[in-house]
Each structure stands twice: as structure tokens, then as C-alpha cells.
Amino acid sequence: MRWLGLLAGAVLGSAVFDAEGLFAGAIFGFLVGYVVERERRRMRELRERGSLPVAVPLPGTTTLEQRLEALTLRVVSLERELAALRAPAASTLDTPAPVIEPLAVEAPDERGYVEPEAASPAPVSQVEEQERFEQAAREPMIDPRPPAPTPDPWVEAVRSFVFGGNTVVRAGVLVLTVGVGLLVKYAAENSILPLELRLGVAAMIGLALVVLGYRLRTTRPGFATALQGGGVAAMYLVTFFAFYAYHLLPGALTLGLLVAIAAFSTILAVVQDAVQLAVFGAIGGFLAPLLASTGGGSHVALFSYYALLNAAIAGSALYRSWRLLNWTGFLFTFGVASAWGALKYEPAHMFSSAGFLALFFAFYVLVGTLFALRRPGEQRGAIDTTLTFGTPLATLALAGSLFHEQPMYLALWCVGMAGVYLAVAGLLIARKDQALRALAQAYIAVGVGVATLAIPFALENALGTALAWAAEATGLVWVGLRQQRLRTRVAGYVLFSAAVISLALRHDLGVYRSHAPFLALIAIGAWFASACIERALQLRDTERLLGRVLLVLGFVLWLGAWHVVITPGSGALHHALALRLGAHALDMVALEWLGLRLGFQGLRQYPRYGFAVLLALSLVAIDARDGWVHFAWAVAILASYWPLYRQLVGATALHAISAWVIAIWAVDLGSLLSSGLADGWQVALHVVPALLPVALAVTARPAWPFGEHTRAYRLWAALPLLALIELGLLIAQAASNGDAAPLPYLPLLNPLDLAQLFWLAALIALARTAELEKRRNVAYGVAGLALFVALNGAIVRTAHHWGGVPFREFEFPTDPLVQGAFSILWTVSALIAMLLANKRALRAPWMAGAGLLAVVVGKLFLLDLDGLSSGLKIVTFLAVGVLLLLIGYFAPVPPANAEPAR
């Protein structure tokens, strides 16, 4: 259904939107077909389990109207019987007989299914009813509604910050703040009070709100937090307007006041455990230098101030695990740093900027660790994925901008970051705290991923972006599965997509062999994520599909790494091919062993299809006449059979492909052996080795795989191979003179004719294994036809070698001697065919022989009568005439209704 939908969508899309809609329509149609197919499969499974009612037709009914009529008759009959049973009882009590209303008959639905009527409840006494009521009252009430879904942490955090506490009070504080601002503006415009006094009053009002809120922190906590937040906002606004709008304060004093307000609000937040106040203070603190800036400040002063703010956030993390506060500091720190780098950075600032970047990195590694340590109760050890994986990502991005012209510095930076993560992970493991194990493992994963970036950055930054994203994506997928967070896993999948896009945009991967280890590392990361998805429980089918996509991505990148290492430039083409085959054999053994050892079934999928890879390789790089290449082919074939044996693979196609690969290798081996020999030997040394898989299929040796999967090797491998080999022999019959040098030419005993006889023996042996006699007869007929063609070719070659008749490729011989021999051979062939047909009472072969005789007679009178010499003409006509008489006497036409002889 999905492929039908793809085709229909492609046609519809191309018809409506021309060529541009072809791809979109195909995808849409595929998705629709996929959904329909899944729904049909689900309904079928429900029916098989009995979860859906299945309509059972009534005996003797075929249509819906007949079923309804039968049900009506049965109900009326039951009503009459019930009335007859109640009549005696009614007469004994001298009461009128009850009027029996006809029962309502439910109409069946469109499937013919009738919903059964619920049985009437038995009468219940008042005592029993009272006991049931008391029992129900004693039982606990169960809410029939489904449990509410768990809210998303991000949404819950924002909702708590905006709507937590007393929402009405917050709205009132907001309105009051705006009102104060409007009052100050009105007073300023009308010069009612001196400007300094007006701003001072506004600041005192804000401070009063903070004091009032603090005094009410125990009795009205929500109300108190809202008042303090409004007071802090009022003090921020007053300070900002005094500096920016009225120029009453110098920049340095403004910065100090803003810092003091931020510190003041942070202290209040820690004392009262109010994250909203802390966030207010942090936002104000980070905005303070931006609001107080005149455009000529020093980046050292700016980042030193930000270092103090981050130290305050790290200090609050010692006592409170406030994720929203940590996120606020992280976003402002790295956001402002990125903006400054884009607008103000100069190469002279590299080392000072790098020092501050290292300090900020250390702060947020510490904050992320303290968050896990200070989480209360069962939440202890929880990982803040934004800080755990966002900090190295943001740090690497800024470091890349700083050191984009110094890749060695960037490599050293990666080594330092990896050392920090691994050191912190070691300290966490040393605590032997099971709750911190997941965080330690995450730090190890990030540390190892960052450490791998040192080499590509040191080597001209090759694949750095892709490798960084892939490393981060691996960690995100792993942690997301550990903590059952869909959002984290989605971030990992997006990063994997970004890594693939980064790889696709590079066109020079084959130039540098140093890229191979990094492609391999990305492949290992994709495999690791796929293994985590494979082992996870309760995942949607979409994520299972993404896991398989990552698995395939890993295989492609792994093969790409081998391709980068093994290039034709390293030597001759056949040397590169031998190395590729050796790498393939190593992959088959290693991936199968690792997949089995690690319990990762996905990793064993590539070895499962090893012969398909060999088939593709043989079609593009088989013509390499070198002994080492053929030895490598043999090793690769044996290595590809090993996963099939270990996995007990019974797929017909895989085993058939293995036989084709063996045949192709054998043919190329024959090319190697026949190099420099005469035509006849070249044909024979190509045909006979190609019959090797056919012989193994017929003899069913060894027991595995040829004896265990005989159908695959005989039907899907041997038959197509025999057809292709015969096609090659037919071409050889017309193109080769059968030269057997250094041996003399002998009819039917030369290499070409012997190869044809070997093919005939293989076909007959295969036909004898067929279960149906019809198939055997068809095979025997094909063998007879092939023998007939081979004998004609033998006549031409014999006339060439023994009679001196010139041999011309792909031309029908016109020599009278050859023509006479043709006539006699065709007549003898017809005689044999008609004798066998008469013996077995088969009309079809007899008619074929008769047709061949008609051709011979026509040839005699139309060609041979004028073309042959007198002697040949006489001999030919006499021989054919005698043979015709023998046919008429010994092989008359079988009767039309004759049964074939057994």
C-alpha cells in the first residue's frame, strides 16, 4: 500500500505542480499509504485477538434482509411460546392474561452484526439493596477520569515563573509599576517637582515595596514575592532613567547601583527560596552594563563584571538548585559574549577573551554539577541537559571563532576541556554515589567526544564541525533515553542531521586520508546511539525508525572511512581492490563478533548482507587479473558466509546472491588462467569455473548452505546462472573457431565442445532434482535444443580446421560441404526427436521434429539443389530421403488423446 501511495502521489504531484511536485507528492503518498497500511494491519490484529466483534451469519441466510426476517420470525415464535406458558398460571389466579408486547428487534449494522440485548436484572429485596449501598459507601472512591499528563519541564518552569504565586497581585504590581512610570513622566513634563526629588521618591517607593514584601514573607509568601519583584523592577527603572534619559548619574555610578540592586535581590531570593527574585536580580545584573554603556567600555571590565555575576549564581547553586536562574545566567553570558565577538572582537583580544571564556566554561560546569548535587530527595543526581551539553557546545563555538586561524590552539583547547570533564567525572565516581552515576557517565561521554576533536582541529580543522555535532548528539540521545526525555533526544537527532549536512557540504573527503579516523568516530557515535535506541523500552515506531537510520548512517560513514584509506592512488587498481576485499572480510568478522558480544543486533545487519556488497563490488571492479585479488575474493566470500551461518539466515535472496558472487569470481579466475591461450581454452576456462555453484547446488554439498537451502541455490541461483552461461556459449559458437592450440582440433573433444557438454550435464543433473515432471521435460527440451545448436557449431568448426573452410564470425556459412552436413544433421536430429516422441506418446516434440523436417526439405529444394555440387547433392538427397523413410516407418505421429509414457 505504501508503494502504491508513493506512485499515486508522485503522479498527482507531477500533474498538479509539474516536476517540482513530483518529490513532495511521492513523500505525501508514501506517508498516506504507510498510515493506511498500519491501520489495516492493526484492525486485522484486533480481529485475530477477538477484540473486535466479527459478524457471524445466521444459518441459511445470505443477505441483510434475510437475516432480519429470520430474526423477526424467531422472536415472534418465542413470544408465542412464552404466552402459552403464562396462560395456565393466569387462569388459575382468575386474572386477565398479560398482554405481551412484541420484543423490539435491533437492526443489524452494515456488517450484519447484532448487538446482544442486556439481560434483565434479577429482583433484589430491600435488605439486599441496603447491604449493597453500605458496602459501596465503605469502598474508596475511584476517579474514573484518566490521570493528567505530566507537564513538560520547560513549559512548567515558564508557567511557574509567570503565573506562580498570586497571579492577581503580580498583575497589580505590573500595573502599579507602569503607573509610577507614567506619573514620573507627567511630573517631569509639567515640572511639578524637581527631577531629582521625583526620581528619589520613585526609588523610595520601590524600596518600600521590597521592605513590605519581606515583612509579609511568612504570612503571605506569594503576595510578598510579587511585591518584592515589583520593588526591584522599580529601582532598576529609576536607575536606568536617571542615567539614560536625564543624564543625572555617571556611567560608573550607574553600574555600581545596578550591581548593588542585583546583589540585593539575589540575597533576598536565597533567604526566601524565591527563584523569581533571583531571576529578576540576574536579569537586571546582566542588563546593567548594557543599559549603562556609552559605547566606549573595555571588554575586560565587561567580562570581569559578568564573572562576578556568574560567581554569584554559582554561590546560589551551593544552596539552591534553581534551573531557571542557571539558564538565565548561561543565556546572558554566552549570548552577550557572542554578540560582542561578532561586533567588537579583534585578533589582539584573543588571549584575554580566551581567559574569560575558560572562566565562564568552568563556572557552568560547576553550576551544572551543583544542580545535580543539590536536587532534593529522589531528584538528586538529575542532569540539567541544557548546561551539561549546551556548555561544551557554546564554548566550542566561541573557541572556534577565537582560534579559527590557529587550529593547533583549538586542538589544545579541546584537550583542556576534555581534561576538565574527565576530572570532574572522576571526582563524582570517587564519591561512590549511585545518584551521581548518570552525571559522571554524561561527563565521560562529553569529555571523550571533545577529546576526539583535538585531532581534526590539529589537522586543518577537518570534519571538526560534523564531529562536534555528532559527539554532542550521541550524548544527548544517550542521556535522553536514560532520563526518558523526548526533548533531549529530539535535540540529539537534530544535531545528527546537522552533522550529516556538514559532511555532505564537503567535497574533498577523498583527498585527505587523515579524515578517515574521524569518519570512523562519527560512525561509532551513530552506532552507539542506535544501540541505545534498540535497547530502550517503550519507544514509538518513529524513534525506532530513526535508530535504524542512524545504524545505516554509521555503516555508510564506516565504508567511507575505508574508501578514504584505500584509494587507487596508493598503487595499481588491483592492489586497491585487494585491500577493499580484505577490509570487507575484516568487517564481516569484526562486526558480527562485536554485535554478538555486545548484544547489538543492529550491528549484525551489515554482515548479514555481505554478499550483496560483494555483488555490487564485483560489478564495478571485478576485472583485475591478479593472483592476490583472487585470493582476497576467496577470503571475502568465506568471511561473508560466516555471518549467514552464525545468524542462521534462511533468506533465499541472500543465498542466491552468494552463488552469483561465487560464479562471477570463478569467471574472473578463469580469465586469469586463460590469459594468452587460444580461443577454445578461453571459452572453456570461463564456462567450467562458472559451473562451480551449479555443481554445489546439484550435489547439495556441503550440507550448509547448499544442502540446507537447496531451493535457493537450485531455483534462484543455478537456473539463472545456466541461462547466462548458455548465452555466452551461443555467442562463442558464432564468434570462436574453437582453436585448441597447442593441441590438435578434435570434433566434440576440443575445449569449447567439452565446455558445452559440461553445461549440458549440469542442466540434466539439475533437471533430475526437480519435483515436477513438467519442469524436467522442459529442461530436457532445452538441453536437446542446446545440443542441436552445439552440433551445428561443431560442423562449422570441423569444416574450418579439417576442410579449410574459412571461418567468419557471426556469419552463416555458405560453403556447399557445410550446407550438406547441415541437411543431414537436421534430418538425423528430427529423426531422433520424432522417435523419442513416438515412444513416449508426446505430440509436441513430434510436431517440432516434423517442422524441422519441413525446413530440411525446403532447404534441399530452394538452396541445396542449386548450390551443391553433383556428388554432394546426390549424397545429401539420398541420406535425407532414407532418413525420412525411417521416420515414417518407426516414428508415426502419436494419437491426439494418447497418454504420455511414464
Side-chain angles (χ1 to χ4, degrees):
M1 181 61 71
R2 66 185 73 176
W3 303 114
L4 182 61
L6 183 144
L7 180 61
V11 173
L12 183 61
S14 60
V16 178
F17 300 103
D18 296 329
E20 293 79 5
L22 175 65
F23 184 72
I27 294 178
F28 180 78
F30 181 87
L31 294 177
V32 171
Y34 178 78
V35 171
V36 173
E37 183 177 339
R38 283 182 55 84
E39 183 63 20
R40 291 174 60 183
R41 188 184 304 116
R42 186 181 69 85
M43 296 298 293
R44 184 170 60 252
E45 292 174 355
L46 289 175
R47 288 193 180 95
E48 291 175 355
R49 292 199 301 264
S51 301
L52 289 180
V54 181
V56 179
L58 296 175
T61 60
T62 57
T63 64
L64 183 61
E65 291 78 10
Q66 291 174 344
R67 296 175 185 174
L68 181 59
E69 182 180 358
L71 287 173
T72 305
L73 293 175
R74 292 181 61 185
V75 170
V76 171
S77 176
L78 292 174
E79 289 175 351
R80 290 175 179 174
E81 293 177 5
L82 183 60
L85 291 174
R86 289 182 176 178
S91 60
T92 55
L93 296 176
D94 296 330
T95 58
V99 178
I100 300 176
E101 297 291 335
L103 298 178
V105 179
E106 294 289 338
D109 59 10
E110 65 275 5
R111 299 170 300 167
Y113 177 79
V114 180
E115 191 71 26
E117 185 179 359
S120 301
V124 181
S125 64
Q126 294 183 356
V127 177
E128 292 177 348
E129 185 175 359
Q130 181 66 24
E131 291 178 354
R132 291 182 182 179
F133 179 78
E134 294 176 356
Q135 179 67 22
R138 288 192 296 268
E139 293 179 355
M141 295 293 293
I142 299 177
D143 190 358
R145 296 174 297 178
T150 304
D152 187 90
W154 288 76
V155 178
E156 183 64 20
V158 175
R159 190 200 65 79
S160 176
F161 177 70
V162 177
F163 300 104
N166 195 324
T167 306
V168 177
V169 175
R170 291 195 176 198
V173 170
L174 178 62
V175 173
L176 179 62
T177 302
V178 175
V180 171
L182 293 175
L183 177 62
V184 172
K185 181 179 179 182
Y186 174 80
E189 290 175 351
N190 293 275
S191 302
I192 298 177
L193 295 173
L195 182 60
E196 294 81 357
L197 180 61
R198 295 196 300 267
L199 293 176
V201 170
M204 293 303 295
I205 291 175
L207 182 61
L209 290 175
V210 172
V211 173
L212 178 61
Y214 183 77
R215 292 176 64 86
L216 297 176
R217 67 187 184 280
T218 56
T219 57
R220 304 287 298 277
F223 182 81
T225 301
L227 287 180
Q228 293 175 77
V232 170
M235 289 189 288
Y236 273 127
L237 288 174
V238 169
T239 306
F240 171 72
F241 278 112
F243 165 75
Y244 186 78
Y246 306 118
H247 307 289
L248 296 178
L249 297 177
L253 180 58
T254 301
L255 178 62
L257 290 175
L258 292 175
V259 171
I261 295 171
F264 178 58
S265 61
T266 302
I267 293 173
L268 288 176
V270 173
V271 170
Q272 302 174 68
D273 195 14
V275 66
Q276 293 88 353
L277 283 178
V279 172
F280 267 125
I283 293 175
F286 282 105
L287 289 177
L290 304 180
L291 298 176
S293 175
T294 58
S298 169
H299 73 283
V300 175
L302 173 66
F303 292 133
S304 298
Y305 168 66
Y306 273 15
L308 292 175
L309 290 182
N310 284 303
I313 292 175
S316 65
L318 288 171
Y319 304 99
R320 299 288 187 271
S321 57
W322 288 335
R323 176 176 288 172
L324 190 59
L325 177 62
N326 299 338
W327 289 350
T328 301
F330 175 79
L331 293 176
F332 270 101
T333 299
F334 287 96
V336 173
S338 300
W340 176 85
L343 299 175
K344 301 289 186 179
Y345 175 74
E346 297 178 1
H349 301 153
M350 182 174 65
F351 290 105
S352 60
S353 301
F356 284 113
L357 181 60
L359 183 60
F360 295 149
F361 165 72
F363 271 132
Y364 283 97
V365 171
L366 176 62
V367 168
T369 306
L370 291 175
F371 174 83
L373 286 171
R374 300 305 178 192
R375 293 294 289 177
E378 296 180 355
Q379 298 181 359
R380 188 172 184 274
I383 298 177
D384 189 337
T385 54
T386 301
L387 296 184
T388 302
F389 299 104
T391 298
L393 187 62
T395 305
L396 284 173
L398 293 177
S401 299
L402 290 176
F403 304 123
H404 68 279
E405 295 182 356
Q406 301 289 339
M408 186 57 66
Y409 289 166
L410 190 56
L412 295 175
W413 181 273
C414 292
V415 172
M417 286 180 60
V420 171
Y421 277 114
L422 295 177
V424 175
L427 293 176
L428 293 176
I429 293 174
R431 294 172 64 95
K432 298 181 180 180
D433 190 343
Q434 190 65 25
L436 302 176
R437 182 178 179 84
L439 181 61
Q441 292 175 346
Y443 281 166
I444 291 174
V446 174
V448 172
V450 174
T452 58
L453 299 179
I455 299 176
F457 286 148
L459 298 174
E460 301 180 1
N461 200 17
L463 303 178
T465 302
L467 190 55
W469 286 342
E472 296 294 333
T474 303
L476 287 172
V477 172
W478 176 74
V479 173
L481 291 171
R482 293 270 304 196
Q483 297 187 346
Q484 298 182 357
R485 292 178 180 270
L486 178 61
R487 179 182 63 248
T488 305
R489 301 197 298 273
V490 170
Y493 304 142
V494 171
L495 277 178
F496 266 122
S497 302
V500 173
I501 294 173
S502 177
L503 288 175
L505 293 178
R506 297 188 60 90
H507 303 288
D508 57 346
L509 293 180
V511 178
Y512 304 103
R513 293 186 182 178
S514 58
H515 291 167
F518 313 122
L519 288 174
L521 288 173
I522 299 176
I524 293 173
W527 284 341
F528 178 79
S530 178
C532 293
I533 294 173
E534 179 183 297
R535 295 179 180 179
L537 303 176
Q538 298 179 351
L539 288 183
R540 296 180 179 177
D541 293 341
T542 304
E543 284 199 74
R544 300 286 183 193
L545 179 60
L546 288 175
R548 290 190 287 272
V549 171
L550 290 174
L551 179 68
V552 174
L553 174 64
F555 289 141
V556 172
L557 294 177
W558 185 261
L559 294 178
W562 277 120
H563 175 73
V564 171
V565 173
I566 305 169
T567 56
S570 62
L573 177 63
H574 56 271
H575 290 162
L577 179 58
L579 291 176
R580 283 194 179 94
L581 292 170
H584 176 80
L586 182 61
D587 285 342
M588 294 299 99
V589 176
L591 294 178
E592 172 65 22
W593 181 80
L594 284 174
L596 191 62
R597 181 84 173 178
L598 301 176
F600 181 20
Q601 298 302 318
L603 200 61
R604 305 175 69 191
Q605 293 301 310
Y606 178 72
R608 182 187 182 97
Y609 298 96
F611 276 110
V613 177
L614 284 181
L615 180 62
L617 188 60
S618 67
L619 296 178
V620 297
I622 188 63
D623 189 15
R625 299 183 178 183
D626 182 82
W628 286 108
V629 171
H630 292 287
F631 175 75
W633 268 108
V635 173
I637 289 172
L638 293 176
S640 299
Y641 265 122
W642 189 62
L644 296 184
Y645 177 74
R646 294 296 299 270
Q647 299 181 33
L648 299 178
V649 175
T652 301
L654 295 179
H655 287 281
I657 290 174
S658 70
W660 298 340
V661 171
I662 293 174
I664 295 173
W665 165 66
V667 169
D668 197 60
L669 182 61
S671 299
L672 177 64
L673 298 176
S674 64
S675 179
L677 297 180
D679 288 351
W681 291 106
Q682 290 187 7
V683 173
L685 290 176
H686 278 81
V687 171
V688 175
L691 293 174
L692 173 62
V694 180
L696 295 174
V698 171
T699 59
R701 294 291 183 272
W704 189 94
F706 296 94
E708 187 172 336
H709 304 285
T710 55
R711 177 178 174 82
Y713 287 101
R714 292 176 180 173
L715 182 61
W716 298 107
L719 281 180
L721 286 175
L722 286 175
L724 290 175
I725 295 171
E726 177 59 22
L727 178 61
L729 284 171
L730 290 176
I731 296 174
Q733 295 286 350
S736 175
N737 61 7
D739 189 6
L743 299 177
Y745 180 85
L746 296 175
L748 302 180
L749 295 178
N750 59 84
L752 194 154
D753 290 336
L754 290 175
Q756 182 69 65
L757 292 177
F758 277 120
W759 182 89
L760 289 171
L763 177 60
I764 293 173
L766 183 64
R768 293 173 65 87
T769 63
E771 298 178 357
L772 299 178
E773 185 178 1
K774 183 178 180 180
R775 293 181 179 177
R776 291 196 295 269
N777 292 333
V778 171
Y780 294 152
V782 173
L785 183 60
L787 179 60
F788 175 74
V789 174
L791 291 175
N792 282 271
I795 289 176
V796 176
R797 290 188 295 274
T798 302
H800 169 66
H801 288 283
W802 286 13
V805 178
F807 179 84
R808 295 181 178 87
E809 297 181 359
F810 300 103
E811 288 187 10
F812 192 79
T814 59
D815 184 81
L817 178 63
V818 176
Q819 290 297 322
F822 279 166
S823 298
I824 296 174
L825 173 64
W826 295 359
T827 307
V828 173
S829 301
L831 172 61
I832 296 173
M834 297 172 78
L835 285 173
L836 293 176
N838 180 268
K839 183 178 179 180
R840 298 180 61 86
L842 299 173
R843 288 180 61 87
W846 194 95
M847 298 302 294
L852 183 57
L853 281 179
V855 173
V856 172
V857 173
K859 177 177 176 294
L860 285 174
F861 288 96
L862 296 176
L863 298 177
D864 297 347
L865 190 61
D866 294 331
L868 298 180
S869 63
S870 299
L872 286 175
K873 187 186 307 182
I874 294 171
V875 172
T876 303
F877 272 76
L878 288 177
V880 173
V882 171
L883 292 173
L884 289 175
L885 291 176
L886 294 175
I887 293 171
Y889 180 79
F890 291 104
V893 58
N897 56 353
E899 292 292 333
R902 299 290 178 183

